[in-house]
Amino acid sequence: MNAPLLDVRGIGKRFGGVHAVRDLSFRLEQGEILALLGPNGAGKTTAFNMIAGFFRPDGGEILFRGRDIARLRPWDICKAGIARTFQLSKPFADLTVVENLMVGGFARSSDTAAIRERAEEIADFLGMGRQADTEVQHLTAFDRRKLELGRALSTRPVLLLMDEVVAGATPAEGQEMVALVRRIRDRGITILIVEHVMKVVMALSERVIVMESGRLIADGAPKDVVSRPEVLKAYFGEQYAAARA
Amino acid sequence: MTAHPNRLHESAARLPAGRPRRAAAGGVSPAGLLALALIGLAALALPLVADSYLLHSCIVVLFFAYMATAWNFVCGYVGQLSIGHAMFAGVGGYATVLLFTGLGLSPWLGLPVGGLLAAALSVVVGYPTFRLRGPYFALTTIAFAEMIRIWVENTESVLGIPVNGAAGLTVPLAGESLAALQFNGKAPYYYLIVALLAGALAATWALERSKLGFYLKAIRGDRDAAESLGISPARYQLVALAISAFMTGIGGGFYAQFFRYVNAERLIGVDLSIDMALMSIIGGQGTVFGPLLGAVLLAPLAEITRGTLGGSFLGLHLVVYGIILMLAVLYLPKGLIAPLRAVLARLARRGGAR
């Protein structure tokens, strides 16, 4: 068996007295869509930010294509081939859509004309070709989320980390987003998503992992995992899980 | 370009074939080039018709335009506020004079050497502060600049080099000498500052289209997002600051040669720093021509208030600046150049439709 694309080994993070993530280990295979679930405060976003380089793990290692990337800074993580989106989209408001999509291109190339052309292709891919020259501050919230995704793609990632794909989207927009994520995976990009909306998780992922209180409590196919007592307990409390069992 | 065969996705097929081409995509429109050429010709011909007083005033205005353009190179594009850029001018000015008096080095070499020293100082200021978020850069620049000004004002000589305290340094008269960068007439100085300003504007124009320019605008837009896209904010801000300080240092050297005199209060003082920042902000920071516009409007205004009213009210020009700044921030947050651009764009479109 080949080595996994991403191999998280025993990472932990403590904020003062709060142990946000403890001894978290999981693997991500090439071409997979893996969903990271868990109730609020389970440590999902902390784990996410450690992989993306925004937090330094207190211990453990994160092997990406066999190389330890734990404790690298975000810009070096990007250059290693990992892109991320943010829970609240963070567009460059006074730049146009295409300019937003050009920034990431410079991490891989210095040919401005080629970077612009690729940015226009990504705008078309997102279905935002008509808005290519619109300043981002005039876009709708959902278009900004799509742009956030496109901007991550502009760095030509091998692995894409997505924090809450459909937060605040209408059901129709959610469906569009799910389709978009699938098409990204079909282009050979491996995806790790942190997500609350079960419908999205079921539609997208082949495998889910569940965190609670900083620990991993389940790992498996979405259908199986959501009916496990420890997962139900984490989401709905002891009594609900007992009643179901 | 729109009919590219290797589209990423089928959605391209649904798009209208002719997405409007952008004027900004490649460079400047022919009309814009023509206008620039005409303005350039008029600028070059000015010394032929202007008297000495007018020429002197124009040199001062263009000097401020150059300094504001240099300030804008980093602060305007990255959205950081420096209130201490005069320290770079001070380093350039003092270095140019001292290299000439001490070592006999021609100011033609003194200017770039002064610029490099200013760039070195900027790295000392920027290296620790660009790692931090928040107002630390602004605070550090003002603290450093004032520290250097007070130190120079109270130091007669250091390591045998005469700094001459608050009295300042005079450039020894060399008569009409190209090598010593001294001229009896104003015209050579005028052409020099026009060339410097043209160079700074060209550098800014190139910046807007470069990787560095995109990175600075990204850092201004959102620092976290910029980091996730492969940008080390500290590194690229430092590069831009060093270039800006280099240009500012050369400006300080020009000031020394033109007035044949430097002192700490005028060249390192906070007044000059504020002038550079305000002209840039009011004119339109983060644009190529905004600082030039700001200087053309504000420099004469400062001169008038200082000359006619300043005798009785010290610092009145700052009050006037403050009022203009408030009005600009309230009604034209993108600077005075924003409405001007809209008018020009409308004219260009009408021209294109014909």
Side-chain angles (χ1 to χ4, degrees), chain B residues 26 34 41 71 107 182 231 253 260 284 352:
Chain B
L34 187 68
L41 270 181
W71 184 93
Q182 287 187 24
I231 302 168
R260 287 207 309 105

Side-chain angles (χ1 to χ4, degrees), chain A residues 94 117 120-121 124 133 183, chain B residues 4 9 11 15 19 22:
Chain A
D94 55 354
E117 197 158 315
E120 287 171 352
E121 286 170 8
D124 290 342
D133 297 330
R183 274 160 46 204
Chain B
H4 197 271
H9 192 261
S11 71
L15 285 171
R19 181 192 297 155
R22 312 143 40 84

Side-chain angles (χ1 to χ4, degrees), chain B residues 109-307:
Chain B
L109 287 172
L111 289 179
V113 170
L116 288 177
L117 290 172
L121 172 65
S122 78
V123 173
V124 173
V125 177
Y127 186 81
T129 46
F130 279 142
R131 267 142 226 282
L132 308 169
R133 294 168 189 231
Y136 298 102
F137 178 70
L139 296 176
T140 311
T141 51
I142 194 166
F144 253 87
E146 283 298 274
M147 230 162 63
I148 293 172
R149 177 184 67 80
I150 292 165
W151 175 75
V152 170
E153 279 185 351
N154 294 289
T155 305
E156 284 309 311
S157 80
V158 56
L159 305 171
I161 304 166
V163 179
N164 219 14
L169 294 170
T170 309
V171 181
L173 196 59
E176 177 89 17
S177 161
L178 185 62
L181 220 169
Q182 287 187 24
F183 309 99
N184 295 327
K186 303 270 186 202
Y189 295 107
Y190 174 81
Y191 287 124
L192 181 56
I193 194 66
V194 166
L196 284 175
L197 177 59
L201 291 173
T204 311
W205 186 85
L207 174 76
E208 280 215 330
R209 282 145 190 82
S210 72
K211 171 178 170 175
L212 181 61
F214 272 92
Y215 276 19
L216 296 182
K217 285 183 261 186
I219 296 165
R220 178 181 68 195
D222 189 290
R223 199 175 147 127
D224 282 334
E227 288 187 0
S228 78
L229 295 174
I231 302 168
S232 159
R235 179 173 160 198
Y236 289 99
Q237 289 183 96
L238 202 56
V239 170
L241 177 65
I243 297 171
S244 167
F246 177 78
M247 293 196 283
T248 311
I250 287 180
F254 173 83
Y255 178 100
Q257 291 307 122
F258 179 58
F259 291 104
R260 287 207 309 105
Y261 172 69
V262 290
N263 76 349
E265 194 199 338
R266 292 295 291 274
L267 201 55
I268 317 178
V270 74
D271 269 17
L272 178 58
S273 293
I274 290 178
D275 276 337
M276 293 167 78
L278 283 192
M279 286 170 184
S280 222
I281 294 167
I282 291 171
Q285 58 175 335
T287 65
V288 176
F289 293 106
L292 169 60
L293 180 67
V296 167
L297 293 174
L298 285 190
L301 193 73
E303 217 46 52
I304 291 164
T305 48
R306 235 176 256 166

